[in-house]
Amino acid sequence: MSGFRLKTGGRIDRSRNLSFAFNGKPMKGHPGDTLASALLANGAGVVGRSFKYHRPRGIYAAGVDDPNSMLEVTDAYGREPGLRAGQVQLVDGLNARSVTGWPSPSVDLVSGFTRFAAPFMTAGFYYKTLKWPNWSWYEEAIRKAAGFGSAANTVDARKREQHHDTCDVLIIGAGPAGLAAANSLKGSGRKVVLVDHAACVGGTLRWEDAQVDGQPGADWTETVAQAFQAEGGQLLLNTFVTGAYEGNFFTMLESRIDEKGLVAERNWKLRAEHVVLATGSVDRPLVCQNNDRPGVLLSAASRQFIGEYGVSPGRSLAIFTNNDSGYLTALAARRANIETTLIDARVRPSEEHLDSARSAGAQIKTGVEVSNIIGGSQVRGLVLSDGGRVDCDVLALAGGVTPIVHLAAHRGAKPRYDSDKAAFVCPDLPAGWSGAGAATGERELSVALSQGHAVGQAIGSGSASAPTAQVPLSMGGIEPLWQTKTGNPKKMFVDMQNDVKASDIALAARENYVSVEHLKRYTTLGMGTDQGRTSNINGIGILAAQKGLSIDAVGTTTFRPPYTATRMGAIAHHRQKDGFAPRRYMPAHRDHETNGAIFEDFGWERPDWFSCNGADREDAVVVEMGAVRNSVGVFDASPLGKIEVSGPDARAFINRFYVSNLATLKPGRIRYSVMCHDDGIIFDDGVVACVDDNLFLAGPTSGNAEVVAAWFEHWRQTEWPDMKVAIAPVTSNWAAIALAGPKARDLLTSLEPGFDVSADAMPHMRFIESTLAGAPARVARVSFTGELQYEISVPARYGHSLMETAMRLGVPLGAKRIGMEAWLRLRLEKGYLHLGSDTNGRTTPLDIGMGGVVAKKPTDFIGKRTLSLPYNASDNREELVGLKPVDLPIRIGARVLADGHASVPAPTIGNVTSVCESPDAGNIAMALIEGGSNRIGQRVKLYAEGQVSEAEICIPVFIDPKNERLHA
């Protein structure tokens, strides 16, 4: 490619230079450039090699639709592979390099081999040929050849954050239609969010020759955007809407400059009442011989490079078109004094377009096609179907447009082929959605503006009038051309990134791959990182022609989120430690900090112990445990799972998950149980409260709160879709504290409950919805410590105040804040199960003593059939029991040696799962031991850290075996 910077034009800041490097070569650009426009301005030709054949590739498009320019970029945040040049904003000091081609993309030795092997590497060749002696012989080499660079081994320094919000209207796309919709909502009083992936508003108006309301298009967009923000509208630029989900819930990724001038990423989760789909379209190419050469690019990209960035893609431009938009490219090129030849496959283009292009000085040839593109790593000319030849160094392809309907498809809308528009559109959008502009297949600016205005008026009845447009030429008049009639199909590339050719699609058709989904997987059409944005429609058209079907009958492949590649770091949020989980804070986090909490990461930042209770961990834990046993302890239980299951079938639904019989659970009552996977293995445990006959509150473990909610939703959607039930995860909606100890009722009374707290009115395993100090509250009398205990939940905004107030009122009672370590030791004293510690990947309800509960349940539940198999009733199952030391203290993880073995090596019959030092019971432990329930009173040998010790198996209850304290 022989691109260069034009002397004038574009919307970049030419007053300042930015230095960057590409493959070690120093280059210059300007603020406002993307890496793609800067490379083009510096004459970069080959930027990489294709995946299969290692053919040279150049800049093909200006943004997310470019399948070729996958580069590795090193900037202030480190090295990152697999970035499209058109999506990278140019910054000073940026270093980019190609990730395909060895030793370089310009001189690639691998291409010599692939040129020889190409005839044998047709579609599906690996299925047919890589069989002997077995696949593993080839797998490693194929894996090494795949990908676009290697992942960095350094921490990404970008600042990241999560943001949740709602709005009345979400407008996706700040192009002409989206801006018209936003403008029409002026004065409506609606909360409007306008989103666009670009760095500035306007879309095509930033580079097209058009006027709106008497102003240049770019000026009109700035005027509208400023007025929109002045009225309180929220404009999010550099923001991709990555996914659309049920209930008009969207995920969005925003890149922005923080207060220190550094790029930060914000992961949005937004719910909208109304949605305007104004996502626009991308150009699609024409399929002809050698159409993958560097120097071939999309027609709209040519106009954008010229009009927005002031960059010419070449010295002599040829345009191959089957529609009117090619003439707009010709006019843009001639305004920049670029030598231009237009090749129109149509026999009779409109006279208006012909006259305009000729008047501008373009050479025009009609009724002919491009048969072949001449050149290797650079276009040198074209051979036409009539035998003529055109000398040029760049070719722009204008094959029509593809509306961006991916987000609607995420919600289940089915794209349908519109023969008049020669494109797939979504005529039936999801509820609450409206389409406008090129996303609906409309190509004329005036129509896009009127559509945008109309949908805005329908939503909000604003005060603005409809904008009017003036353009030099229309953009319609398309005659579909999926593949040229002349030229070699074995060198006509449909998918640039995966080297899928027209001949591959023909081969798939001959082998009876009639489904477009089968075609995709057999040929890898559209499976690249661009997800077929520029290739799918041509592939579908070629398959339809091969099979004699209509394009609508062939259909499209399935679009799934995310719309574009998203960094895992942006989803996972910023961490101080390694890991992918977001850092989560409880509502009372500041109170804990103020009072000396020593935090540990339990999925949430939770206090492990409190320095206000002791000089070191052990001293503090003893004090905290003593408070629960002798007075009252206050424990922050906010992360405990809370899932509301509501609806007429809520009782039957939740009863299918738990091994206990919840069908008999009365309103205001609570029952403890466990749930299993369908293999009978324990999945989670917790209490379930019956709020009323149509509402149940499940309390899974803190670590499984989201997983259990997803488990419920999975079965609701896929197995029992006819059940009338709704799942609502509300863990983060409620803050919770537990009051535990002999004086827990006294402390609860001091909090001014709006209900009777006496033992008769609120016995163990009772649930009440009422008020506490005037705030709405849910109170459950349950115990994880074996003491009198109440769990109080209030709306999250009251969490800090609740903790602070409870501790202030609890001082006369001897109340202490309780950390996780003391809490877990207290449960061990009572022998209560700690999921994940006292269970493993084989533990069933029968192994923890719930066989009687399982046997009494008359109805089915997930995993019940598996529990009835003989294996689950065998005598050698590992069962949960208690251990007391005979000589040495028991150590966590110690192996339990088989009978008759006093040293290692020896067979193992179990292992120690939990150990603690109890102020009242001494060294105690629980273990999973084969046939453990039949070994009570026996002694076993334990091996840990090179020592053998002896312990006695006991019932796992070390404090208050009659539960007298629990029922105080």
Side-chain angles (χ1 to χ4, degrees), residues 456-528:
Q457 287 288 302
I459 293 170
S461 299
S463 57
S465 58
T468 58
Q470 299 84 39
V471 294
L473 293 172
S474 69
M475 290 185 64
I478 187 170
E479 293 181 8
L481 178 63
W482 310 117
Q483 175 186 354
T484 57
K485 303 175 185 64
T486 57
N488 184 359
K490 293 183 178 181
K491 292 187 178 181
M492 296 180 180
F493 287 85
V494 182
D495 186 319
M496 303 292 177
Q497 197 169 91
N498 285 339
D499 280 335
V500 179
K501 301 173 292 186
S503 59
D504 292 323
I505 298 173
L507 175 63
R510 291 197 300 274
E511 296 184 354
N512 207 33
Y513 285 92
V514 294
S515 166
V516 68
E517 295 288 2
H518 291 163
L519 173 72
K520 173 181 177 178
R521 285 151 182 83
Y522 186 63
T523 64
T524 68
L525 175 71
M527 291 179 67

Side-chain angles (χ1 to χ4, degrees), residues 592-732:
H592 301 325
E593 281 185 318
T594 303
N595 289 279
I598 308 301
F599 292 99
E600 288 289 337
D601 186 359
F602 292 93
W604 295 69
E605 291 293 297
R606 305 184 71 171
D608 186 51
W609 57 283
F610 286 88
S611 60
C612 61
N613 294 330
D616 58 33
R617 188 173 190 253
E618 286 303 313
D619 289 345
V621 169
V622 170
V623 169
E624 292 169 14
M625 293 178 70
V628 174
R629 294 296 180 215
N630 301 308
S631 55
V632 61
V634 182
F635 175 75
D636 194 332
S638 297
L640 186 69
K642 307 168 194 71
I643 305 170
E644 293 179 356
V645 181
S646 60
D649 295 327
R651 183 181 297 274
F653 178 83
I654 202 165
N655 194 41
R656 297 182 182 182
F657 290 90
Y658 289 93
V659 304
S660 301
N661 186 12
L662 301 183
T664 60
L665 190 62
K666 297 179 180 179
R669 300 294 180 179
I670 302 171
R671 193 162 291 164
Y672 170 83
S673 191
V674 302
M675 68 173 68
C676 306
H677 281 302
D678 43 15
D679 57 5
I681 304 302
I682 292 176
F683 171 34
D684 194 73
D685 75 328
V687 296
V688 178
C690 179
V691 183
D692 62 43
D693 285 328
N694 293 329
L695 176 60
F696 286 76
L697 182 64
T701 55
S702 301
N704 267 349
E706 288 84 6
V707 178
V708 170
W711 183 242
F712 285 167
E713 195 64 49
H714 166 78
W715 285 83
R716 183 191 74 82
Q717 293 188 31
T718 63
E719 303 299 329
W720 309 316
D722 295 333
M723 296 192 80
K724 297 177 181 178
V725 65
I727 314 299
V730 295
T731 302
S732 297

Side-chain angles (χ1 to χ4, degrees), residues 194 201 222-237:
L194 176 61
V201 298
E222 292 297 331
T223 301
V224 171
Q226 290 172 11
F228 171 74
Q229 290 178 289
E231 197 177 75
Q234 188 164 13
L235 176 62
L236 299 178
L237 298 174

Side-chain angles (χ1 to χ4, degrees), residues 628-930:
V628 174
R629 294 296 180 215
N630 301 308
S631 55
V632 61
V634 182
F635 175 75
D636 194 332
S638 297
L640 186 69
K642 307 168 194 71
I643 305 170
E644 293 179 356
V645 181
S646 60
D649 295 327
R651 183 181 297 274
F653 178 83
I654 202 165
N655 194 41
R656 297 182 182 182
F657 290 90
Y658 289 93
V659 304
S660 301
N661 186 12
L662 301 183
T664 60
L665 190 62
K666 297 179 180 179
R669 300 294 180 179
I670 302 171
R671 193 162 291 164
Y672 170 83
S673 191
V674 302
M675 68 173 68
C676 306
H677 281 302
D678 43 15
D679 57 5
I681 304 302
I682 292 176
F683 171 34
D684 194 73
D685 75 328
V687 296
V688 178
C690 179
V691 183
D692 62 43
D693 285 328
N694 293 329
L695 176 60
F696 286 76
L697 182 64
T701 55
S702 301
N704 267 349
E706 288 84 6
V707 178
V708 170
W711 183 242
F712 285 167
E713 195 64 49
H714 166 78
W715 285 83
R716 183 191 74 82
Q717 293 188 31
T718 63
E719 303 299 329
W720 309 316
D722 295 333
M723 296 192 80
K724 297 177 181 178
V725 65
I727 314 299
V730 295
T731 302
S732 297
N733 297 47
W734 296 83
I737 64 170
L739 311 179
K743 298 181 181 180
R745 185 178 291 115
D746 297 333
L747 182 51
L748 178 61
T749 301
S750 69
L751 289 170
E752 301 178 9
F755 53 94
D756 188 351
V757 300
S758 66
D760 292 336
M762 194 173 186
H764 185 55
M765 303 301 275
R766 182 68 189 268
F767 177 88
I768 288 178
E769 275 195 317
S770 184
T771 60
L772 206 68
R778 289 173 167 176
V779 182
R781 187 175 165 189
V782 294
S783 183
F784 193 62
T785 62
E787 296 291 335
L788 171 66
Q789 181 178 318
Y790 300 91
E791 287 186 3
I792 304 167
S793 297
V794 296
R797 63 184 180 276
Y798 299 124
H800 180 93
S801 177
L802 176 63
M803 174 63 71
E804 191 176 60
T805 303
M807 285 306 303
R808 177 171 51 81
L809 297 175
V811 169
L813 302 174
K816 299 289 184 183
R817 289 176 171 81
I818 310 299
M820 283 294 296
E821 180 60 24
W823 201 249
L824 292 174
R825 292 189 191 185
L826 290 164
R827 70 90 199 169
L828 178 52
E829 290 181 339
K830 285 295 295 180
Y832 291 156
L833 179 75
H834 186 211
L835 192 78
S837 295
D838 302 315
T839 60
N840 56 33
R842 302 181 300 274
T843 308
T844 73
L846 310 182
D847 302 331
I848 61 170
M850 297 190 71
V853 174
V854 171
K856 290 178 181 178
K857 184 164 184 177
T859 55
D860 197 9
F861 60 85
I862 297 171
K864 182 175 183 178
R865 186 188 69 82
T866 308
L867 293 177
S868 66
L869 298 177
Y871 169 74
N872 284 317
S874 65
D875 293 335
N876 64 350
R877 296 282 306 178
E878 292 180 342
E879 297 176 317
L880 191 63
V881 293
L883 285 178
K884 293 181 179 179
V886 174
D887 45 22
L888 300 174
I890 301 171
R891 295 179 182 273
I892 185 70
R895 293 163 50 190
V896 182
L897 305 183
D899 296 341
H901 293 269
S903 62
V904 292
T908 300
I909 60 171
N911 68 283
V912 176
T913 59
S914 298
V915 178
C916 83
E917 291 294 330
S918 165
D920 298 313
N923 183 245
I924 56 176
M926 289 202 291
L928 286 169
I929 299 177
E930 291 180 7

Side-chain angles (χ1 to χ4, degrees), residues 58-70 84 86 497 529-530 534:
I59 299 293
Y60 191 73
V64 70
D65 47 333
D66 192 341
N68 292 346
S69 61
M70 302 293 290
R84 286 187 183 85
Q497 197 169 91
T529 58
D530 67 322
T534 59

